[in-house]
Amino acid sequence: MSAETDTVLELPPHTWWQRLAGVSTLWIGIVLVVLYASFSIARPDAFPTRFTLQTLLIETSVLLVLSIGMTFVIVTAGIDLSVGMVLIFSGVLASKTMEWLSPGEDATHAGWGIILLGLAMSIAGGALWGLINGFLVAKAKIPPLIVTLGSFGAALGAAQLITGGVDTRTVPEKLRNSLGFGTMLGGIPNLVLVAAAVTLFGAWLLHTTRFGRYAYAIGSSAEAARRSGIGVTRHLILVYLMAGLCSGLAGFMNLAYFGTTTIGGHSTDNLDAIAGVVIGGTSLFGGVGSVLGTVIGVFIPSVLRKGFVIAGVPVFWQPIAVSVVLVAAVWFDQIRRRSRERK
């Protein structure tokens, strides 16, 4: 890479923390704090408890891993509607691999060698769909909305073909007792620790490396990035590959927690991930976003749902409240873009 390219891609003269915690991130952070405080005041006996916080973190872990990959995709001005179905497909591959290697009832007593092979198959399955999506978007120049909508149906169909449409329930007990329900470091669920590790890696990759700078540059203007010497095609393939890898890992986490492939679920995971990323301040137009914002954005709908359940609010209000927050986030993003263009 030439010195000229590195000069073009230099970030504004701000500290990494200032880039990580911008104005929009501060705004949504305040919203999250207000929501948590409101539900705590409404139900002080049930909401601000260790058990509620622990279950909230566990229930959000899988979605957070999906959303980290989605953040990179949206920062490049793309979209991925297939993550929920890729999650299912990856979980099916992992489950069937472990079942095939230890047929019958022995599957629930499989050892760590078989479990690790299941993990490898789950991640490989996610990577496969990520590469397909990336190749069709970057190389074939098909709009990402169409490509990933096609992958949405194809991944689900492939999972149903492998299982015959019936959920697999022979998940190793060691996997469930360790990753699914195990804890470390004073009671922190292992699922939460995995999600935290993925989040920290994503934050490092997006905010401190050349890979992240290239993602921002492509999202701001793919043509300008190409003229500055960035391999836009290669980079987009890698970004969608990363989203696929996150979906594969999330599929294995989901399998460990529920003990089944949950083929009938996750139909809205793609929209939930997109909503969390956008609420977190990542622009649908690309070039703007942060991992910290995504973390906060993912937890806002989760806190709303958990708070409504505990407060006894009818479940029908939950999607309405999440939709209002999502529309407000997009509206705020548009105002920010217009003000920046006027400068």
Side-chain angles (χ1 to χ4, degrees):
M1 188 62 59
S2 66
E4 179 183 356
T5 301
D6 288 335
T7 302
V8 171
L9 294 174
E10 279 187 9
L11 294 171
H14 300 301
T15 65
W16 69 271
W17 175 250
Q18 288 173 322
R19 295 195 301 271
L20 192 62
V23 175
S24 61
T25 305
L26 176 63
W27 177 77
I28 59 170
I30 293 172
V31 170
L32 179 60
V33 170
V34 169
L35 284 175
Y36 194 88
S38 299
F39 287 123
S40 298
I41 294 171
R43 287 297 306 273
D45 59 322
F47 192 80
T49 64
R50 177 176 178 174
F51 175 77
T52 299
L53 179 60
Q54 192 175 54
T55 55
L56 178 66
L57 291 173
I58 291 173
E59 291 169 359
T60 310
S61 294
V62 172
L63 181 60
L64 180 57
V65 171
L66 286 179
S67 300
I68 296 302
M70 186 71 75
T71 300
F72 281 80
V73 172
I74 296 181
V75 161
T76 60
I79 203 75
D80 191 346
L81 299 178
S82 68
V83 291
M85 300 305 104
V86 173
L87 179 155
I88 293 173
F89 175 81
S90 300
V92 164
L93 277 187
S95 178
K96 282 299 184 181
T97 297
M98 293 185 289
E99 188 179 82
W100 290 333
L101 292 174
S102 51
E105 296 181 357
D106 292 336
T108 59
H109 301 97
W112 285 112
I114 292 176
I115 291 173
L116 290 175
L117 284 174
L119 172 61
M121 286 300 295
S122 185
I123 292 177
L128 172 64
W129 284 107
L131 282 174
I132 292 172
N133 288 338
F135 180 83
L136 293 176
V137 169
K139 200 75 174 177
K141 307 298 181 184
I142 303 174
L145 179 68
I146 303 301
V147 169
T148 58
L149 184 60
S151 297
F152 177 99
L156 177 60
Q160 291 172 329
L161 284 172
I162 293 172
T163 62
V166 179
D167 280 314
T168 301
R169 302 182 185 275
T170 52
V171 177
E173 292 178 359
K174 287 184 178 180
L175 176 59
R176 299 209 67 197
N177 294 334
S178 56
L179 179 59
F181 299 106
T183 61
M184 291 179 64
L185 305 177
I188 302 176
N190 290 336
L191 281 174
V192 176
L193 292 174
V194 172
V198 173
T199 301
L200 290 174
F201 176 77
W204 169 78
L205 190 64
L206 183 62
H207 298 290
T208 67
T209 69
R210 182 177 293 182
F211 186 89
R213 292 198 298 272
Y214 287 1
Y216 282 118
I218 292 170
S220 298
S221 174
E223 184 57 33
R226 185 175 287 106
R227 291 182 179 182
S228 68
I230 297 174
V232 174
T233 298
R234 175 179 176 275
H235 199 79
L236 284 176
I237 291 175
L238 291 176
V239 165
Y240 281 92
L241 171 62
M242 181 180 178
L245 290 170
C246 287
S247 298
L249 177 58
F252 194 74
M253 294 167 65
N254 178 78
L255 187 67
Y257 183 65
F258 289 104
T260 179
T261 47
T262 60
I263 295 175
H266 308 286
S267 59
T268 63
D269 278 10
N270 53 351
L271 300 180
D272 291 341
I274 293 169
V277 173
V278 173
I279 290 172
T282 300
S283 175
L284 285 170
F285 302 97
V288 175
S290 72
V291 170
L292 177 60
T294 292
V295 173
I296 299 173
V298 167
F299 273 98
I300 285 178
S302 298
V303 168
L304 278 171
R305 294 188 183 100
K306 179 67 72 176
F308 280 171
V309 170
I310 292 177
V313 177
V315 295
F316 308 110
W317 283 103
Q318 297 177 23
I320 295 175
V322 173
S323 299
V324 169
V325 175
L326 175 60
V327 172
V330 175
W331 177 67
F332 182 82
D333 176 51
Q334 289 183 327
I335 292 177
R336 181 178 56 188
R337 284 175 55 84
R338 292 193 193 104
S339 64
R340 189 167 63 240
E341 289 171 356
R342 283 196 294 265
K343 290 180 181 180

